[in-house]
Amino acid sequence: MKKTSFFEKVAEGNTTVFVYKSKESKKGPGSKDGVPFYNPAMEFNRDLSIILAQWLINNSKNKVKLLDGLASSGIRGFRMANELKGDFEVFINDWDEKAYRLIRKNLKTKQYENVKVYNKNLNVLLSEEKFDYVDVDPFGSPVSFIDSAARSIKNNGIIACTATDTATLCGVYPRVCIRRYGAVPFYGIPMKEVGLRILIGFICQEVCKYDKGIDPLVCYAADHYFRVYVRIRNGVGYANRSMENLGFIRQGEHIGFEKNSKNIGPLWLGRIQCKKIFGDLQGILSDKKLGTKNVLWKFFDVLEEEADAPCFFYTTDALASFFKKSPPRMEMVFDYLKSKGFDVFRTHFSPTGFKTNASFDIIEKMFK
Ligand SMILES: C[S@@+](CC[C@H](N)C(=O)[O-])C[C@H]1O[C@@H](n2cnc3c(N)ncnc32)[C@H](O)[C@@H]1O
């Protein structure tokens, strides 16, 4: 009788790994169904981490230590081992026994030489060793790992972090957000941007405690998660300058730090993309074989444009409903605001969204 296999092979980028067969593996954000987890919907997320890790290696003088800290099957770490070029080593960790066995199986299949695997609580590992790149990709919130990642990360290294507790960060459960992130969220049109900025603000505070600063490289909101890549800079000056980017907002205006529970935040009000690295990222993208390459090209284009934009955005549909008019075409909005001498930018947060330095009065005139 033929032996049933618990595993199936999946391919991403240039890499093939074994994952456990799972009824849930083909849809949605996935869940903790008792077997180590592979979510095909996160290929885009992993492809982008390949590009950022390659960027880090290209911009480092020494051997780069990359950690896939919550690895499950290890697909992200094995992809790094297989698809990155240069002087680096990869560390793959999961505390779950089944995940660890799967990671070892994957390790044996290709005899990776630059990979070391661990079966530890990530917080313990991060307290024992220092890394140049720490990937934190949990089920739900990353909050319980950021303090130890902040201690472990080397100067100029990158903390990469996913948060799938988007409902919390977007204000569906405000009390949970206050407990978890120490910040008051907002439920409404710009909630994704507010949520992402609360996450970055939280990381900023966790890092700055240790006299280190953060430099956001690429930060974005996707369907069911937020993802943040921040570069860490050691030094009190960097820490102080980072903290200056924290603040509160009220609907419609920015204000400084104030003790007022009705304020939204604290949240990161600085830039969330590093415009100057996008040329490098596009160069790396053109060299790699990635399943989501075409989507990434377009995505980089929008993020690069958005890098210079002010915080927060309008959407044509929300404005139309506010002014009781039909929504204008995006080209019309861009042409109008540019013709009046204002800057206007697309935003990845919404296909009908735009960011501008024009005041609300100008927007109102546009609708008249
Ligand atoms: C969402 S999955 C990781 C998915 C994986 N990064 C990928 O791209 O396919 C989260 C993993 O974190 C592991 N995990 C949760 N808490 C942990 C901890 N404290 N230390 C180490 N691993 C942990 C779980 O066992 C699970 O396999």
Side-chain angles (χ1 to χ4, degrees):
M1 208 171 80
K2 205 178 157 211
K3 216 171 138 194
T4 337
S5 170
F6 297 114
F7 305 106
E8 60 184 329
K9 264 190 178 174
V10 297
E12 277 185 17
N14 261 339
T15 311
T16 309
V17 296
F18 285 106
V19 299
Y20 278 97
K21 282 181 184 163
S22 163
K23 275 185 235 131
E24 296 194 40
S25 69
K26 293 284 177 274
K27 53 182 182 190
S31 69
K32 316 166 216 184
D33 63 352
V35 294
F37 167 91
Y38 167 70
N39 186 356
M42 290 301 238
E43 181 176 1
F44 175 84
N45 178 314
R46 286 184 286 268
D47 280 356
L48 192 49
S49 61
I50 294 293
I51 294 175
L52 266 295
Q54 185 66 68
W55 180 84
L56 181 64
I57 294 167
N58 295 354
N59 286 281
S60 300
K61 291 191 191 85
N62 303 319
K63 184 178 240 175
V64 172
K65 289 177 70 180
L66 306 163
L67 172 64
D68 180 4
L70 302 170
S72 201
S73 63
I75 184 162
R76 194 184 296 264
F78 287 114
R79 286 194 57 189
M80 287 181 176
N82 196 34
E83 296 171 35
L84 298 178
K85 293 178 193 144
D87 196 11
F88 68 96
E89 51 193 333
V90 180
F91 300 80
I92 301 181
N93 174 66
D94 201 292
W95 70 354
D96 180 82
E97 188 54 44
K98 270 187 164 174
Y100 180 64
R101 281 206 298 273
L102 178 58
I103 293 166
R104 294 203 65 83
K105 177 179 169 70
N106 279 320
L107 180 70
K108 269 196 219 140
T109 320
K110 246 206 117 182
Q111 308 279 315
Y112 289 98
E113 278 172 10
N114 56 349
V115 175
K116 197 166 170 190
V117 303
Y118 293 109
N119 183 206
K120 296 191 179 195
N121 183 331
L122 175 59
N123 285 321
V124 172
L125 176 57
L126 289 171
S127 300
E128 291 169 348
E129 272 197 58
K130 302 233 177 278
F131 299 94
D132 298 284
Y133 173 100
V134 175
D135 206 296
V136 179
D137 184 33
F139 295 118
S141 173
V143 288
S144 56
F145 303 108
I146 302 301
D147 172 78
S148 35
R151 284 184 284 107
S152 165
I153 197 79
K154 293 195 206 174
N155 190 26
N156 292 320
I158 292 177
I159 296 179
C161 147
T162 313
T164 61
D165 58 339
T166 49
T168 294
L169 283 160
C170 290
V172 179
Y173 311 112
R175 288 195 299 183
V176 182
C177 192
I178 294 165
R179 282 204 311 275
R180 224 174 250 173
Y181 294 92
V184 177
F186 174 73
Y187 182 73
I189 287 153
M191 61 193 174
K192 281 193 173 178
E193 181 162 357
V194 172
L196 180 64
R197 288 177 180 278
I198 285 177
L199 174 63
I200 303 169
F202 173 82
I203 296 171
C204 173
Q205 293 180 76
E206 292 288 88
V207 169
C208 289
K209 289 187 298 198
Y210 299 111
D211 293 344
K212 302 174 180 188
I214 65 161
D215 188 7
L217 298 179
V218 175
C219 304
Y220 65 97
D223 300 342
H224 71 276
Y225 68 91
F226 293 129
R227 179 83 171 162
V228 169
Y229 294 88
V230 289
R231 200 165 197 204
I232 306 303
R233 306 284 196 162
N234 288 358
V236 176
Y238 284 115
N240 285 338
R241 276 196 294 283
S242 296
M243 289 300 287
E244 282 164 17
N245 287 296
L246 285 188
F248 291 86
I249 50 165
R250 281 194 198 135
Q251 231 173 320
E253 58 169 338
H254 290 253
I255 57 166
F257 267 110
E258 242 179 52
K259 272 192 183 169
N260 177 348
S261 61
K262 291 207 179 79
N263 293 333
I264 299 156
L267 74 177
W268 177 264
L269 293 170
R271 58 168 182 74
I272 59 175
Q273 322 296 343
C274 180
K275 192 177 176 94
K276 62 175 191 262
I277 73 164
F278 275 85
D280 292 351
L281 300 183
Q282 280 152 343
I284 296 168
L285 177 60
S286 65
D287 273 358
K288 301 272 180 214
K289 178 180 173 268
L290 299 171
T292 68
K293 194 168 191 161
N294 292 340
V295 190
L296 274 165
W297 273 123
K298 292 187 193 131
F299 197 59
F300 280 169
D301 210 35
V302 180
L303 290 190
E304 188 180 9
E305 178 174 328
E306 200 177 354
D308 283 336
C311 298
F312 307 113
F313 58 93
Y314 298 105
T315 63
T316 50
D317 21 4
L319 287 168
S321 127
F322 182 78
F323 291 116
K324 300 193 173 32
K325 295 271 165 73
S326 50
R329 284 181 303 112
M330 288 293 269
E331 301 86 80
M332 185 252 133
V333 172
F334 276 62
D335 290 349
Y336 179 87
L337 292 172
K338 280 184 183 162
S339 74
K340 300 284 173 208
F342 296 104
D343 296 326
V344 55
F345 310 84
R346 289 174 296 165
T347 171
H348 81 283
F349 290 106
S350 164
T352 62
F354 65 95
K355 295 185 168 187
T356 180
N357 57 353
S359 67
F360 195 71
D361 295 347
I362 306 291
I363 310 259
E364 192 169 8
K365 273 193 199 134
M366 179 172 75
F367 272 81
K368 292 237 161 106

